[in-house]
Amino acid sequence: MNHTVTADTLRVDDATLHYELRGTGPLVVLVGAPMDARAFEAMADLLAVDRTVLTTDPRGILRSPVDDRDRDSTPELRADDLRRLVEHVGGGPAAVFGSSGGAVSALALAQHHPEVAHTVIAHEPPLDQLLDDREELRVKTEDIVATHLAGDVLGAWKKFLAVANIHLPDEVVEHMAAEQQDPQAAADAWYQHARMLLPTTLWEPDLDVLRTSSTRVLVGLGEESAGQLCDRTSRALAAALGIEPTMFPGGHIAFAEDPAPFVERLRPLL
């Protein structure tokens, strides 16, 4: 099912944000980090039957250039970008679905700008600071960044997957690293590791604010993510908020790999 896609940009203080709109109806925002809008296309098409769906490339990634690539992409900055986008396109407050680093962006939105989101569904946010082994994870994440910046892209991916406790065949990991020889993919991967990974995984949510926010906060978790790092962080966040995780079919990127059952589970939550 294909819907007319309107693509445009929004200039903010230090970046130009690429965004896309589909469908008509109540506003839904789908966001990742470092995943760009392309990862949500199939999901957005399914939701656009009766929703207006906003997708975007996060700052510094693909079609959303930043003025200063030496400035960190923090959850607060990305949340403010989302606020500006929702206010720009109208139709808010919105339901916001964020996955991975985008889930952290969505939580920061609920924390700092609750007026623009009536519901936030944070799917597998990598909030390492909620875990007992956070210092060990910080050291390992810093090593991932150092490895990538030293030029060993394959080594960085292997370390990243090891920390995430995601097991892929060697040839798949090698293919992922080889894909980053494309100049744009290489630039995005550099930005992810140099400017996004540590600010995201080291972010500490204000749990008291999220518990009492006017925004309804749900924590999404993949049924096939058991034992992975984001399974641990998602369960820790849900426990800290006094709620149960909301289970979704598939794993960490099931919304892109098999969007139909994922959207079927998501739709009643909106």
Side-chain angles (χ1 to χ4, degrees), residues 127-141 162-163 165 201-202 227-229 232-233 236:
L127 296 173
D128 295 357
Q129 293 299 297
L130 298 180
L131 302 178
D132 291 340
D133 56 341
R134 53 187 171 271
E135 277 305 305
E136 179 183 350
L137 289 168
R138 178 187 60 79
V139 170
K140 289 181 177 179
T141 304
V163 170
N165 200 26
T201 57
L202 294 178
Q228 295 178 4
L229 177 60
R232 296 171 56 209
T233 56

Side-chain angles (χ1 to χ4, degrees), residues 175-215:
H175 178 70
M176 291 165 58
E179 283 185 329
Q180 291 182 356
Q181 293 178 1
D182 171 80
Q184 183 63 59
D188 290 348
W190 179 91
Y191 190 80
Q192 173 193 357
H193 282 137
R195 300 289 171 242
M196 187 181 290
L197 184 59
L198 279 167
T200 299
T201 57
L202 294 178
W203 189 71
E204 297 186 50
D206 189 324
L207 297 170
D208 288 336
V209 170
L210 291 178
R211 290 188 197 102
T212 59
S213 173
S214 60
T215 302

Side-chain angles (χ1 to χ4, degrees), residues 6 28 43 74 91 167 172 191 210 223 225 232 234 264 268:
T6 301
V28 178
M43 184 179 175
T74 65
H167 306 286
V172 173
Y191 190 80
L210 291 178
E223 293 170 345
S225 297
R232 296 171 56 209
S234 298
E264 184 178 354

